[in-house]
Amino acid sequence: MTIAAVCRRLSGAIAAITRPLSVAGRNLAALLLAVMVGVVLAQVGWRYGFGQALAWSEELSRVLMIWAVFLVAPWAYRTGAHVSVTLFFDALPGVAAHTLRLVLTSLVIWVLWRLLVESLDLMADGRSLQTASLGLAMAPIYTILPASFALMALVGVERWLSQAAAALDALRRRPAAR
């Protein structure tokens, strides 16, 4: 079995984990956005219908939005839905483009790892904090951060392995220098 085949097999194994988790996150994010819209509409109706603001609605909407964003982020990274500039890759020859993709994906994985570590510290700090109007502990609210960063890092590893297999295949297909 070649190294490229091993990379593809490992990437597929990781994909079996990240695919359903990222789709579930996307679906849950859609549900949270629907709830958020309902809360905002209730706030507007209450304010203009009864002349009073709901004290908790803005804070709940903000928490729901944050959770929705971090739930959908792994799916967006996995499917390539994030903004990307490919003009530079398209201009490079095959092996150079593959190498640059590997370097950039490695950098993304490192950044996601650092964000994961920092978010764990933030979550620990959140044990002593509460939301102003809802009175909820911040630590459970912050749990979405390390969960999202960990899943995105795993998606990054999946992509890196897939890109490594493609780079190795491109190297193998390249004509020998004379």
Side-chain angles (χ1 to χ4, degrees):
M1 183 180 284
T2 66
I3 295 174
V6 170
C7 288
R8 273 191 289 280
R9 181 169 274 174
L10 286 172
S11 178
I14 294 171
I17 297 167
T18 62
R19 185 179 301 117
L21 287 176
S22 63
V23 169
R26 179 202 62 192
N27 294 342
L28 183 55
L31 177 65
L32 292 181
L33 283 174
V35 171
M36 186 189 73
V37 168
V39 168
V40 169
L41 289 175
Q43 166 68 351
V44 170
W46 204 266
R47 181 179 303 253
Y48 291 107
F50 301 108
Q52 293 181 341
L54 298 172
W56 51 268
S57 64
E58 185 178 333
E59 193 169 80
L60 179 59
S61 295
R62 186 175 34 240
V63 168
L64 291 172
M65 176 59 88
I66 290 167
W67 266 70
V69 166
F70 283 99
L71 280 169
V72 81
W75 173 83
Y77 181 39
R78 187 165 201 297
T79 60
H82 286 295
V83 174
S84 65
V85 179
T86 60
L87 179 68
F88 189 64
F89 291 117
D90 297 341
L92 290 174
V95 174
H98 288 297
T99 303
L100 183 59
R101 278 190 181 92
L102 283 169
V103 169
L104 291 178
T105 302
S106 298
L107 181 61
V108 167
I109 293 167
W110 178 79
V111 168
L112 288 168
W113 174 256
R114 291 301 313 147
L115 288 169
L116 171 61
V117 170
E118 294 298 324
S119 67
L120 289 171
D121 291 342
L122 181 66
M123 203 171 81
D125 292 344
R127 288 189 298 236
S128 62
L129 302 173
Q130 281 188 327
T131 60
S133 62
L134 294 172
L136 300 173
M138 291 301 292
I141 293 170
Y142 288 156
T143 58
I144 191 59
L145 298 171
S148 181
F149 294 139
L151 186 53
M152 281 194 287
L154 196 55
V155 168
V157 171
E158 172 194 341
R159 290 177 71 137
W160 190 93
L161 289 166
S162 178
Q163 291 166 353
L168 290 168
D169 288 342
L171 276 173
R172 193 185 60 212
R173 286 190 306 266
R174 195 170 86 179
R178 294 180 187 203

